[in-house]
């Protein structure tokens, strides 16, 4: 759809277009705004507008912007269609009212009062009593009404009723039968409430007579609008009164609440009153109402007749879910006092333990305790067993010894030894162990165990390479070159290859060429130099072809560094006092292990940091030199358990060969307690590394203490 706007309309729409561009692309663009304006003035269609805008922004945003622009243009065209005459008339009327108000302000108070009096005399009906103005200085309506007689007051009320009736007719002519009925009902209520005695009516009834205008005066549009709203309000009040929601009573205040025996609301005649129930509209009130209904269902207040459903068995008694009320639980007297006493005792115990640990650290008892804890976990391998496993085959079992004891007792009934003495004599621990030998297990056969291959022995036999001396290498090179030269000469002699050019140099130029060099020495020298450059280029090209690339050089270095660990893995365990605050040392430990292609693990624990490395012998030699010589540990100061500064140190705890690797790429791990550290090493099956390193740290700490 194409819309063509004038330049003035586009200018009016310019701010809206700028906002649409800003919302679409996130910024203002003057060139894009001018393009869109030109498209609207030219009357382009949507597709053509998108094509024009696509040169400034992407096509997807251009499509969105075109839709917004066309919507704004359509809205402008539709808003311009309604007639403007009524609007102009309203403007002129407002101007006239403002002008009249402005003129009234400049009039004097006396002139205005005289004019009002003249108008009142001209428009006053014949039967209307003239009453002085109520707002005169120093007077009130009550003081003016005090001098009136009862007849005048009755006449005044009759005039007020006539005025009301005239207003009713005007409203009926404007609003129709519906509003007329509402006004009639209101008038009847007013008549019923008017006093019939000679008492003075309230000022609210007198005011319409004093300040109202007669019906013969032409009514303006504003007054008609006000009267229409008043009539609508009266009709609405009448509908509410007819519905019974609001019952007018003579008493001031709310109507009394009357309930019957069943608790329902009734009126004075005993009829049931249907109160208006307002449904909640807010989400919070709706949720609250649903919660109340759910609680009512749980408590059994709302029960639906379930007997009518087809799936309900009438023989089974249905019980609604009932929530059991929780009873009150009281605390025993003195409970919180006991808890406070427990906390105090715990604090005193911790304080006492800290004091004991400090004293034990000073005396060296703590070091012995830690070593005892370590030794309790490690099995006692130095203890000599009573019986070796290979001897247990030829010794009798406990059942066999019991049988032998019974036989000996039957065979020698005169034996006076007690039962305990006989058992001790038959036990393995007895000095005469020959009696406990199982003779049936001894034969004349000799067992030859199978010979196992050592784990470090290679599968294929290795041979030592033969190394030649320097003299032998030169002789071998000379012989191989002579054989190659002879083969080349043979090919030239047979005509298979062209004879090589003479190898010319500046030094042998005259000797090789002779007369040719004398005839044209400049050309010959240039030819010789060209041949020399050619030979040099050939040599350099050959060297370049043999040179390795960066990847090949890196692979060659890696091949030199990597070692075969299939026959055995060399392991080294280092202990460092503190690695937490040594950033440079941590960097060297990690980077050198990665560069040497070593695996391992670094455990960080206060007072004992363990570094485990796995690799080949050459790799370990380089890494050992790094840890013990290259890194200056003593130059770095660390804090001990008491907070004092001491020099750092690194020790080689153990090095050896294992069958396989226990760790992957080197990583750092922080463990706050000794138990967690040992569990971590135990997870990899090398908890003895931690035991060795930590026992050494404990002994060093004990030796350093005074």
């Amino acid at each position: 759809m194409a819309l063509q706007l004038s330049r003035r309309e586009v200018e009016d729409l310019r701010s809206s277009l700028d906002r649409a561009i800003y919302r679409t692309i996130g910024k203002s663009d003057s060139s894009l705004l001018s393009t869109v304006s030109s498209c609207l003035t030219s009357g382009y269609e949507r597709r053509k507008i998108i094509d024009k805008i696509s040169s400034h922004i992407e096509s997807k945003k251009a499509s969105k912007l075109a839709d917004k622009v066309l919507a704004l243009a359509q809205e402008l065209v539709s808003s311009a269609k309604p007639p403007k005459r009524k609007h102009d008339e309203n403007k002129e009327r407002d101007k006239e009212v403002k002008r009249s108000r402005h003129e009234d302000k400049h009039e004097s108070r006396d002139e205005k009062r005289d004019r009002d009096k003249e108008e009142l005399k001209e428009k006053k009906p014949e039967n209307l009593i003239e009453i002085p103005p109520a707002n005169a200085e120093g007077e009130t309506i009550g003081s003016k009404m005090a001098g009136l007689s009862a007849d005048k007051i009755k006449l005044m009320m009759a005039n007020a009723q006539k005025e009301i009736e005239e207003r009713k007719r005007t409203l009926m002519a404007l609003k129709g039968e519906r509003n007329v009925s509402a006004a009639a009902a209101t008038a009847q209520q007013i008549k019923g409430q008017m006093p019939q005695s000679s008492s003075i009516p309230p000022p609210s009834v007198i005011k319409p007579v004093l300040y109202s205008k007669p019906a013969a005066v032409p009514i303006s549009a504003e007054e008609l609008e006000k009267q229409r709203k008043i009539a609508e309000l009266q009709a609405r009040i009448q509908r509410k009164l007819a519905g019974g929601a609001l019952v007018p009573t003579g008493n001031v205040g709310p109507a009394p609440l009357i309930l019957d025996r069943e608790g329902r609301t009734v009126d004075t005649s005993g009829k049931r009153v249907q109160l208006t129930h307002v449904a909640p509209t807010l989400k919070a009130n709706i949720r609250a109402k649903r919660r109340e209904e759910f609680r009512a269902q749980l408590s059994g207040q709302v029960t639906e007749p379930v007997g009518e459903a087809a799936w309900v068995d009438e023989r089974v008694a249905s019980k609604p879910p009932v929530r059991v009320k929780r009873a009150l639980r009281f605390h025993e007297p003195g409970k919180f006092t006991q808890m406070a006493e427990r906390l105090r005792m715990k604090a005193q115990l911790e304080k006492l333990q800290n004091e004991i640990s400090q004293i034990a650290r000073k005396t060296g008892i703590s070091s012995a305790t830690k070593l005892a804890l370590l030794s309790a976990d490690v099995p006692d391998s130095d203890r000599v067993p009573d019986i070796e496993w290979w001897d247990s085959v030829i010794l009798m079992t406990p059942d066999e010894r019991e049988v032998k004891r019974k036989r000996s007792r039957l065979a020698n009934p005169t034996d006076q030894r007690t039962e305990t003495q006989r058992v001790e004599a038959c036990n393995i621990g007895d000095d005469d162990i020959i009696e406990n030998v199982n003779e049936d297990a001894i034969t004349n056969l000799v067992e030859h165990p199978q010979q196992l291959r050592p784990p470090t022995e290679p599968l294929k036999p290795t041979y030592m390479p033969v190394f030649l001396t320097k003299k032998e290498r030169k002789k071998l090179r000379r012989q191989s070159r002579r054989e190659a030269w002879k083969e080349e000469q043979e090919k030239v002699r047979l005509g298979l290859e062209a004879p090589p050019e003479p190898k010319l140099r500046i030094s042998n130029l005259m000797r090789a060429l002779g007369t040719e060099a004398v005839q044209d020495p400049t050309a010959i020298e240039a030819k010789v130099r060209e041949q020399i450059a050619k030979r040099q280029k050939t040599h350099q090209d050959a060297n370049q072809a043999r040179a390795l690339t960066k990847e090949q050089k890196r692979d060659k270095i890696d091949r030199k560094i990597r070692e075969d660990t299939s026959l055995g893995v060399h392991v080294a365990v280092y202990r460092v006092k503190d690695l937490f605050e040594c950033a440079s040392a941590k960097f060297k430990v990690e980077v050198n292990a990665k560069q040497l292609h070593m695996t391992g693990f670094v455990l960080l624990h206060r007072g004992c940091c363990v570094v485990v490395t796995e690799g080949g012998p050459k790799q370990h030699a380089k890494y050992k030199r790094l840890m013990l010589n290259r890194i200056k540990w003593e130059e770095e100061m660390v804090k001990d358990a008491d907070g004092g500064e001491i020099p750092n140190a690194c020790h080689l705890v153990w090095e050896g060969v294992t069958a396989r690797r226990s760790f992957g790429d080197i990583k750092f791990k922080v463990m706050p307690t000794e138990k967690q550290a040992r569990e971590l090493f135990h997870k990899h099956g090398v908890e003895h590394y931690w035991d060795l390193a930590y026992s050494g740290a404990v002994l060093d700490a004990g030796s350093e203490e005074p």
Side-chain angles (χ1 to χ4, degrees), residues 171 228 241 248 424 505 705:
L171 292 175
R228 184 181 62 79
L241 290 172
E424 291 178 353
R505 295 190 296 273
E705 291 175 356

Side-chain angles (χ1 to χ4, degrees), residues 47-82:
R47 175 54 56 191
K48 200 164 184 180
I49 293 174
I50 293 173
D51 294 341
K52 290 286 186 180
I53 299 174
S54 298
S55 60
H56 297 275
I57 57 176
E58 57 185 10
S59 58
K60 190 174 182 180
K61 292 183 178 179
S63 178
K64 291 182 179 179
L65 182 58
D67 294 337
K68 291 181 180 180
V69 168
L70 290 175
L72 289 172
Q74 184 67 28
E75 184 179 356
L76 180 64
V77 172
S78 60
S79 63
K81 286 181 180 179

Side-chain angles (χ1 to χ4, degrees), residues 340-352:
E341 290 293 337
R342 242 184 256 119
L343 292 174
R344 292 192 195 99
M345 290 176 62
K346 187 176 180 181
Q348 292 178 0
L349 183 61
E350 290 179 355
K351 184 179 179 180
L352 185 62

Side-chain angles (χ1 to χ4, degrees), residues 76-95:
L76 180 64
V77 172
S78 60
S79 63
K81 286 181 180 179
K84 300 180 181 179
R85 293 182 179 178
K86 188 175 181 180
H87 181 67
D88 295 339
E89 291 175 359
N90 294 334
K91 276 188 176 182
E92 292 177 0
R93 191 184 305 114
D94 295 340
K95 287 181 181 180

Side-chain angles (χ1 to χ4, degrees), residues 356-622:
I356 293 172
S357 63
Q358 290 178 1
I359 297 170
R361 194 183 299 112
K362 291 180 181 179
T363 56
I365 298 175
S366 61
S367 303
T369 306
K370 291 180 180 179
L371 290 176
L373 291 174
L374 289 175
S375 61
D377 295 336
V378 181
D380 190 4
S381 58
D382 297 334
R383 185 178 62 83
V384 178
D386 296 333
I387 302 172
E388 298 291 347
W389 63 271
W390 52 81
D391 293 335
S392 62
V393 179
I394 62 175
L395 294 177
M396 289 186 294
T397 62
D399 296 337
E400 293 174 349
R401 287 198 299 270
E402 183 67 25
V403 171
K404 184 179 179 180
R405 188 169 63 252
K406 290 180 180 179
R407 287 177 182 176
S408 63
R409 188 172 53 189
L410 293 174
N412 191 7
T414 61
D415 192 2
Q416 299 298 325
R417 291 182 299 177
T418 62
E419 187 68 22
T420 306
Q421 291 175 349
R422 292 193 192 98
V423 171
E424 291 178 353
C426 293
N427 282 340
I428 298 176
D430 197 4
D431 296 336
D432 195 3
I433 199 170
I434 299 175
E435 296 180 1
N436 295 315
V437 174
N438 187 7
E439 297 178 356
D440 297 335
I442 301 174
T443 61
N444 59 350
L445 302 177
V446 179
E447 182 180 0
H448 297 279
Q450 183 182 1
Q451 296 291 331
L452 299 177
R453 183 181 64 84
T456 58
E457 183 179 341
L459 297 175
K460 295 181 180 180
T462 56
Y463 301 99
M464 285 292 292
V466 179
F467 296 99
L468 302 176
T469 62
K470 188 175 181 180
K471 188 176 180 180
E472 289 173 344
R473 289 198 300 271
K474 284 185 177 182
K475 183 179 179 181
L476 186 62
R477 180 175 181 273
R478 187 168 57 249
Q479 288 176 356
S480 61
R481 286 172 64 87
R482 187 170 184 82
E483 289 177 0
W485 179 76
K486 284 183 178 179
E487 185 178 356
E488 188 178 351
Q489 290 294 327
E490 191 68 27
K491 288 181 180 179
V492 172
R493 191 179 298 113
L494 294 174
L496 298 176
E497 291 183 0
E501 295 181 358
K503 191 175 182 180
L504 298 176
R505 295 190 296 273
I506 299 296
S507 59
N508 66 353
L509 176 62
M510 300 301 295
R511 187 171 57 254
L513 296 178
T515 56
E516 294 181 6
V518 174
Q519 290 176 0
D520 194 355
T522 304
I524 295 301
E525 184 180 358
K527 184 179 179 181
V528 171
R529 291 190 182 279
E530 183 182 354
Q531 192 177 6
I532 292 171
K534 185 178 179 181
R535 288 199 304 269
Q536 187 176 3
K537 187 176 182 302
T538 304
H539 176 71
Q540 291 176 355
D541 292 343
N543 289 344
Q544 189 68 25
R546 286 193 302 269
L548 301 176
T549 61
K550 290 183 178 180
E551 291 78 9
Q552 291 173 344
K553 288 179 182 178
R554 193 181 300 112
D555 294 341
K556 183 179 179 181
I557 295 172
D558 289 347
R559 282 197 306 272
K560 287 184 178 181
I561 294 175
R562 291 180 187 273
E563 296 185 60
D564 185 16
T565 57
S566 59
L567 302 178
V569 181
H570 289 253
V571 182
V573 180
Y574 303 91
R575 173 172 52 83
V576 184
K577 280 188 178 181
D578 196 347
L579 266 176
F580 284 95
E581 300 175 359
C582 305
S584 61
K586 286 171 65 177
F587 176 77
K588 292 176 183 178
V589 166
E590 182 180 7
V591 171
N592 280 273
K594 289 181 179 179
Q595 289 176 352
L596 294 172
H597 302 285
M598 300 178 73
T599 59
F601 187 77
V602 180
L603 186 138
L604 302 178
H605 178 73
R606 286 293 179 186
C608 180
C609 296
V610 183
V611 181
V612 182
T613 54
E614 300 171 337
K618 292 182 181 179
Q619 296 171 344
H620 269 288
K622 293 181 180 180

